[in-house]
């Protein structure tokens, strides 16, 4: 949970003021101050959300004028990041699943105070993490902007290249090579900026860099300026990213004879000043490379985290200067134990690391057992006093399935700290090998694996729901949905069980399967002269898939289907998150004569900004509008204004989730073009709706 002295800003939806007060008392008795607002109506919650920031909503799931479901729907509609817990009168698994699917964080039986406090703690910690992440993302954006400014103003000649072509160069680089316009340089291969005698050297050099990937590799060569003047230069290369794309950074400098000095400076930057060993920064860089190598070549390595036992107490006994002497003595001992095949680095005041590749965790554990014994038996003499010393070692295996460097280091650190839980090791002095099975849930129902198995077993099905022209006419439109038959026989959407951020490869595979099957069925349904069109929903992952457009073009030709038979629907949130890709995606679709729709429209704060960048033919409103216009005159007027603005911009509008006839008159008056929902027809396996009866 938040720190004990942090105030929790709490919203409570409860018809009983006494019950609401009991929740406040529960939190206060647990040591947490609260600033609470009890919600009395829909308007009251809306005003509270508009005027203040809140940390948590506790909603009683009982019969009341403004229900917990409505409060949750308002949070989602207003796009508020406020965790919501339902308080139910009894433990009901189906109800819990329902509210969590609707966006709540869970449900707790009212009166089960211990469980409620645990869930509140979890949700507030998660909320704090999300807020911290947003702050860090903002800082990252600012840092990237500052880096760009530094690049542009740097006196060093810096450029970024990809596949041998310049993709960026700063002013110093252009001046160095005699170019005035960046457009001239970005269309020029790097080879063309070198003399003929240097071009082969450059190719060999870049191949070595690609194979070994050591940042800071240098090449002495001769550059050729745009005016054909030649310059002896030193080119240094490093791996980099530019505009989110992996590339190579090159820096050109006039050739000097201070190579040895630069090498010495790099060596100094990689050293720990006290012990002379490699420092943490260098080891983490090397660990990243080792993990990449293990993944590329299916090799196995290991990392050992060596923590000094009871270091704080020892430091208090011998003092700071004595501790420094002891660390220097220990570093020499570890250096002897490491030999030539183990990399040794100092990680912090009380920790060192061994890194090796290739090797395995058991062989490293054997080496570390010898090292532990050597440390225990060594007489550390500090200012005439003998200081006993032991270490606890945690070992993490490095394989093709290893996580990133920070997470792998955390594994070894966790194993090291768990040595004290072993029998007879309360003071440390032992070795523990990290076992992922003990720390990471090994779930057979892993979403990506379940989905891929369902694809292999042919347990995917397409459904088609008609999209009806409210103004009449013989048009035939369907929206395509996919359902996966689970092992229990229940149909679910495979997208629903994917994690929010992927896995991206799985989402792309689902999209490709849906599009392939839908295009095939549409081609059969249309026959030679039909004009049925289908709406295909696009995930954010496909938006970013550079291979999609060539695949689509080939697939359309193979099916002998015109592009305008397909309408690709992009969620508004995905379009805003990936605006550049969505803009290019829609442009490429129109080149293939396909149409574009924006779905879940008006679910963000400024929906019309999306339409400024993306050329779309259809706009499908967010389904929340269908509910709101049945409750509020204000919502009906808001919908009319949005529809009018969209139609003035030449967009065809779709209103989803039409569940009854009572809403049709409102939609007609608002000027909506198309409607869709269970009132007309539920999604069905065939495109068999009779549009003539509409």
């Amino acid at each position: 949970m938040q720190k004990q002295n942090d105030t929790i800003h709490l919203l409570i939806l409860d018809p009983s003021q006494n019950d609401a007060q009991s929740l406040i008392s529960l939190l206060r008795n647990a040591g947490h101050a609260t600033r609470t607002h009890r919600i009395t109506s829909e308007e009251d919650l809306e005003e509270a959300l508009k005027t203040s920031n809140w940390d948590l909503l506790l909603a009683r799931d009982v019969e009341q004028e403004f229900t917990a479901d409505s409060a949750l729907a308002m949070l989602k509609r207003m796009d508020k990041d406020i965790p919501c817990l339902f308080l139910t009168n009894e433990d009901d698994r189906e109800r819990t699943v329902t509210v969590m699917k609707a966006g709540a964080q869970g449900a707790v039986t009212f009166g089960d105070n211990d469980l409620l406090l645990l869930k509140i703690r979890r949700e507030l910690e998660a909320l704090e993490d999300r807020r911290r992440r947003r702050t860090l993302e903002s800082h990252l954006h600012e840092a990237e902007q500052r880096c760009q400014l530094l690049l542009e103003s740097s006196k060093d000649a810096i450029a970024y290249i990809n596949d041998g072509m310049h993709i960026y160069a700063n002013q110093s680089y252009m001046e160095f090579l005699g170019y005035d316009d960046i457009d001239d340089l970005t269309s020029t291969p790097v080879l063309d900026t070198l003399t003929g005698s240097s071009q082969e050297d450059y190719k060999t050099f870049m191949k070595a860099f690609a194979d070994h990937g050591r940042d800071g590799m240098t090449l002495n060569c001769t550059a050729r300026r745009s005016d054909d003047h030649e310059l002896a230069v030193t080119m240094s290369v490093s791996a980099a990213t530019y505009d989110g794309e992996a590339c190579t950074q090159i820096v050109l400098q006039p050739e000097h004879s201070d190579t040895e000095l630069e090498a010495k400076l790099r060596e100094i930057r990689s050293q720990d000043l006290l012990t002379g060993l490699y420092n943490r920064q260098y080891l983490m860089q090397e660990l990243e490379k080792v993990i990449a190598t293990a993944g590329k070549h299916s090799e196995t390595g290991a990392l050992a985290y060596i923590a000094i036992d009871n270091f704080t107490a020892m430091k208090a006994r011998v003092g700071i200067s004595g501790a420094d002497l002891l660390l220097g003595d220990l570093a020499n001992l570890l250096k002897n134990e490491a030999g030539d095949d183990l990399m040794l680095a100092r990680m912090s005041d009380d920790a060192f690391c061994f890194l090796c590749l290739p090797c395995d965790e058991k062989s490293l554990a054997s080496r570390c057992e010898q090292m532990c014994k050597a440390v225990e038996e060594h007489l550390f003499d500090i200012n005439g006093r003998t200081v006993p010393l032991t270490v606890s070692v945690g070992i993490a295996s490095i394989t093709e399935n290893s996580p990133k460097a920070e997470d792998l280091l955390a594994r070894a650190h966790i194993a090291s700290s768990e040595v004290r839980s072993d029998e007879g090791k309360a003071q440390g002095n032992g070795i523990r090998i990290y076992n992922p099975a003990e720390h990471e849930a090994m779930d057979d129902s892993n979403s990506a694996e379940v989905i891929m198995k369902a694809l292999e077993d042919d347990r995917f099905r397409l459904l088609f729901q008609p999209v009806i022209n409210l103004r009449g006419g013989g048009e035939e439109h369907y929206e395509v949905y996919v359902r996966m038959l689970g092992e229990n026989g229940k149909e679910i959407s495979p997208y629903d069980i994917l994690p929010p951020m992927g896995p991206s490869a799985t989402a792309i595979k689902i999209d490709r399967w849906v599009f392939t099957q839908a295009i095939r069925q549409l081609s059969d349904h249309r026959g030679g002269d039909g004009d049925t069109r289908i709406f295909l929903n696009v995930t954010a992952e496909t938006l970013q898939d550079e291979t999609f457009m060539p695949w689509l073009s080939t697939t359309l030709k193979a099916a002998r289907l015109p592009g305008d038979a397909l309408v690709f629907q992009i969620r508004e949130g995905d379009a805003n998150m990936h605006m550049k890709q969505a803009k290019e995606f829609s442009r490429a679709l129109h080149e293939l004569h396909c149409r574009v729709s924006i779905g879940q429209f008006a679910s963000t704060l400024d929906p019309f900004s999306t339409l400024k960048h993306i050329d779309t033919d259809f706009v499908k409103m967010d389904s929340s509008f269908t509910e709101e216009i049945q409750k509020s005159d204000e919502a009906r007027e808001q919908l009319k204004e949005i529809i009018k603005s969209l139609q003035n911009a030449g967009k065809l509008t779709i209103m989803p989730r039409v569940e009854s006839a009572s809403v049709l008159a409102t939609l007609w008056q608002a000027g909506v073009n198309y409607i869709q929902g269970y009132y007309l027809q539920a999604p069905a396996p065939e495109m068999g709706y009779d549009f003539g009866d509409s």
Side-chain angles (χ1 to χ4, degrees):
M1 197 182 287
Q2 296 165 310
K3 295 178 182 178
Q4 292 282 2
N5 57 353
D6 282 355
T7 299
I8 300 173
H9 293 82
L10 177 66
L11 288 169
I12 296 180
L13 176 62
D14 197 316
S16 168
Q17 186 169 347
N18 290 336
D19 288 343
Q21 185 59 48
S22 70
L23 293 171
I24 298 170
S25 300
L26 175 67
L27 284 169
R28 287 180 176 170
N29 292 338
H32 306 286
T34 62
R35 292 291 181 270
T36 308
H37 177 74
R38 177 169 165 258
I39 302 162
T40 57
S41 66
E42 180 179 3
E43 294 75 18
D44 182 33
L45 175 57
E46 186 170 5
E47 182 65 23
L49 293 175
K50 288 179 179 178
T51 56
S52 301
N53 294 320
W54 303 96
D55 301 319
L56 180 68
L57 168 62
L58 298 178
R60 283 296 297 276
D61 191 22
V62 296
E63 196 69 35
Q64 52 185 317
E65 184 176 348
F66 182 49
T67 65
D69 292 299
S70 300
L72 178 60
M74 180 175 289
L75 289 185
K76 297 304 174 185
R77 188 179 74 252
M78 297 181 68
D79 201 20
K80 293 289 185 179
D81 185 11
I82 302 173
C84 175
L85 293 173
F86 277 45
L87 305 179
T88 60
N89 285 337
E90 59 185 30
D91 187 12
D92 185 338
R93 179 185 177 280
E94 290 187 4
R95 179 60 175 160
T96 299
V97 171
T98 299
V99 301
M100 291 184 71
K101 283 185 175 181
Q105 276 61 45
V108 183
T109 305
F110 186 76
D112 194 348
N113 293 339
D114 291 342
L115 180 60
L116 178 60
L117 285 173
L118 288 171
K119 289 199 173 187
I120 288 174
R121 177 186 298 276
R122 179 194 66 189
E123 296 309 326
L124 291 177
E125 287 176 347
L127 177 65
E128 185 65 24
D129 288 341
R130 292 195 297 273
R131 289 173 173 172
R132 189 180 298 114
R133 186 197 69 220
R134 287 193 287 266
T135 300
L136 292 174
E137 287 174 346
S138 175
H139 291 166
L140 175 61
H141 179 66
E142 293 174 359
E144 288 175 339
Q145 289 181 320
R146 287 196 295 270
C147 287
Q148 184 66 30
L149 290 173
L150 288 172
L151 276 173
E152 293 171 357
S153 61
S154 175
K155 294 182 179 179
D156 290 331
I158 303 173
Y160 291 107
I161 62 171
N162 191 1
D163 291 333
M165 301 292 291
H166 292 90
I167 59 174
Y168 167 81
N170 65 1
Q171 188 64 33
S172 298
Y173 188 96
M174 290 192 294
E175 291 175 357
F176 193 86
L177 293 180
Y179 287 87
D180 296 324
D181 192 342
I182 185 63
D183 291 335
D184 294 336
L185 189 60
T186 53
S187 61
T188 303
V190 177
L191 282 174
D192 288 356
T193 66
L194 301 174
T195 61
S197 59
S198 294
Q199 290 180 358
E200 287 302 317
D201 292 339
Y202 171 81
K203 293 177 183 178
T204 304
F205 172 72
M206 293 305 293
K207 185 179 185 303
F209 177 71
D211 292 340
H212 303 293
R214 291 196 301 271
D215 288 348
M217 291 177 62
T218 59
L219 169 70
N220 292 328
C221 57
T222 304
R224 183 172 59 198
R225 288 167 47 89
S226 61
D227 57 7
D228 290 331
H229 183 71
E230 296 181 359
L231 295 171
V233 299
T234 298
M235 176 189 294
S236 60
V237 295
S238 303
T241 59
Y242 184 76
D243 199 20
E245 184 178 0
C247 61
T248 302
Q249 174 186 280
I250 62 174
V251 180
L252 297 182
Q253 294 178 325
E255 188 172 325
H256 295 301
S257 58
D258 55 0
T259 305
E260 292 184 7
L261 175 61
E262 291 178 0
K264 186 63 177 177
L265 289 174
R266 283 196 298 271
E267 181 182 348
I268 292 173
R269 285 195 296 268
S270 69
Q271 282 185 344
D272 173 62
L273 297 180
L274 176 64
T275 63
L277 303 177
Y278 289 121
N279 58 22
R280 179 191 179 96
Q281 179 182 0
Y282 183 81
L283 181 126
M284 295 305 290
Q285 292 172 352
E286 292 301 306
L287 180 57
E288 289 178 354
K289 295 175 184 177
V290 166
I291 292 172
T293 301
K296 186 176 181 181
H297 302 293
S298 297
E299 294 183 353
T300 300
L303 175 73
Y305 187 92
I306 306 164
I308 302 174
D309 295 323
N310 305 310
F311 178 75
T312 302
M314 181 276 297
K315 189 174 182 180
R317 290 198 307 270
V318 302
I320 295 175
S321 60
D324 288 347
L325 292 173
L326 185 145
L327 288 169
D329 198 0
L330 176 60
N332 290 329
L333 186 152
L334 294 177
K335 194 182 300 183
N336 291 333
E337 295 295 325
D340 297 329
D341 56 334
L342 297 181
M343 176 186 289
L344 172 63
R346 184 186 178 204
M347 299 301 291
S348 63
D349 284 349
D350 62 345
F352 298 81
C353 274
F354 283 155
L355 174 64
C356 63
L357 181 83
C359 73
D360 60 78
E361 57 189 25
K362 291 185 179 179
S363 62
L364 182 58
S366 178
R367 295 278 296 274
C368 287
E369 285 178 0
Q370 299 175 20
M371 179 269 295
C372 286
K373 185 177 181 181
V375 171
E376 184 181 16
E377 295 176 350
H378 186 78
L379 299 177
F380 292 91
D381 191 346
I382 307 300
N383 298 325
R385 298 174 57 186
T386 300
V387 179
L389 196 66
T390 60
V391 294
S392 295
V393 182
I395 298 176
S397 180
I398 302 172
T399 68
E400 70 277 5
N401 197 39
S402 291
K404 59 185 180 181
E406 292 82 358
D407 294 334
L408 189 78
L409 177 64
R411 288 182 173 186
H413 182 268
I414 290 170
S416 171
S417 64
E418 289 180 342
V419 167
R420 292 173 179 80
S421 64
D422 293 341
E423 185 176 355
K425 299 293 183 181
Q427 299 302 316
N429 192 24
I431 296 171
R432 171 74 77 92
I433 296 176
Y434 182 89
N435 181 1
E438 295 177 358
H439 298 273
E440 301 159 10
M442 301 299 289
D443 189 354
D444 291 337
S445 63
N446 177 274
S447 59
E449 295 175 1
V450 168
I451 290 170
M452 297 313 298
K453 189 173 189 307
L455 270 174
E456 293 171 2
D457 295 344
D458 194 27
R459 288 187 282 112
F460 272 42
R461 301 289 183 269
L462 290 186
L463 298 176
F464 302 86
Q465 186 176 43
V467 180
I468 309 299
N469 191 332
L470 193 57
R471 308 293 158 176
E475 298 170 283
E476 292 188 10
H477 293 87
Y478 292 90
E479 182 166 356
V480 180
Y481 299 92
V482 60
R483 294 293 180 264
M484 183 180 81
L485 191 65
E487 297 286 357
N488 58 1
K490 184 178 179 180
E491 285 191 350
I492 57 174
S493 169
Y495 297 107
D496 289 345
I497 66 172
L498 275 177
M501 299 304 291
S504 59
T506 307
I508 289 172
K509 287 179 181 178
I510 298 172
D511 281 357
R512 291 287 179 94
W513 186 91
V514 171
F515 299 161
T516 300
Q517 299 300 320
I519 289 172
R520 184 178 301 158
Q521 292 192 40
L522 178 61
S523 179
D524 293 340
H525 177 80
R526 285 168 64 110
D529 55 357
D531 60 357
T532 304
R533 294 185 175 89
I534 55 174
F535 286 76
L536 298 168
N537 291 290
V538 179
T539 61
E541 288 78 6
T542 290
L543 273 183
Q544 303 169 75
D545 181 10
E546 297 179 354
T547 68
F548 176 73
M549 288 303 166
W551 173 86
L552 177 61
S553 177
T554 302
T555 304
L556 285 173
K557 291 176 182 177
R560 297 182 179 178
L561 198 65
D564 64 3
L566 307 181
V567 184
F568 287 89
Q569 190 158 261
I570 306 167
R571 288 191 296 265
E572 184 186 43
D574 292 340
N576 281 330
M577 183 69 70
H578 308 284
M579 186 64 75
K580 181 179 178 181
Q581 293 91 335
K583 182 178 181 180
E584 177 59 25
F585 190 88
S586 61
R587 183 197 62 77
L589 285 175
H590 282 129
E591 288 183 355
L592 294 175
H593 305 292
C594 299
R595 298 188 179 186
V596 178
S597 174
I598 295 294
Q600 299 179 355
F601 186 76
S603 60
T604 59
L605 295 177
D606 187 12
F608 282 91
S609 65
T610 306
L611 302 184
K612 294 177 183 177
H613 300 282
I614 299 176
D615 184 13
T616 181
D617 306 283
F618 296 84
V619 172
K620 182 177 179 180
M621 300 299 298
D622 188 73
S623 59
S624 63
F625 278 89
T626 313
E627 298 178 9
E628 289 302 311
I629 60 176
Q630 299 178 70
K631 302 175 184 177
S632 162
D633 291 336
E634 182 179 347
R636 284 191 284 272
E637 291 303 316
Q638 182 186 13
L639 177 64
K640 288 181 181 178
E641 292 177 7
I642 292 174
I643 296 297
K644 183 178 179 180
S645 298
L646 289 171
Q647 293 183 341
N648 287 340
K651 311 301 180 186
L652 295 171
T653 55
I654 306 170
M655 181 61 69
R657 210 169 179 177
V658 177
E659 311 294 350
S660 66
S662 60
V663 74
L664 291 179
T666 301
L667 299 179
W668 174 273
Q669 293 171 4
V672 171
N673 299 103
Y674 295 87
I675 56 175
Q676 175 186 8
Y678 277 66
Y679 172 70
L680 304 165
Q681 181 180 288
E686 304 292 338
M687 289 180 273
Y689 185 81
D690 188 355
F691 287 85
D693 293 339
S694 302

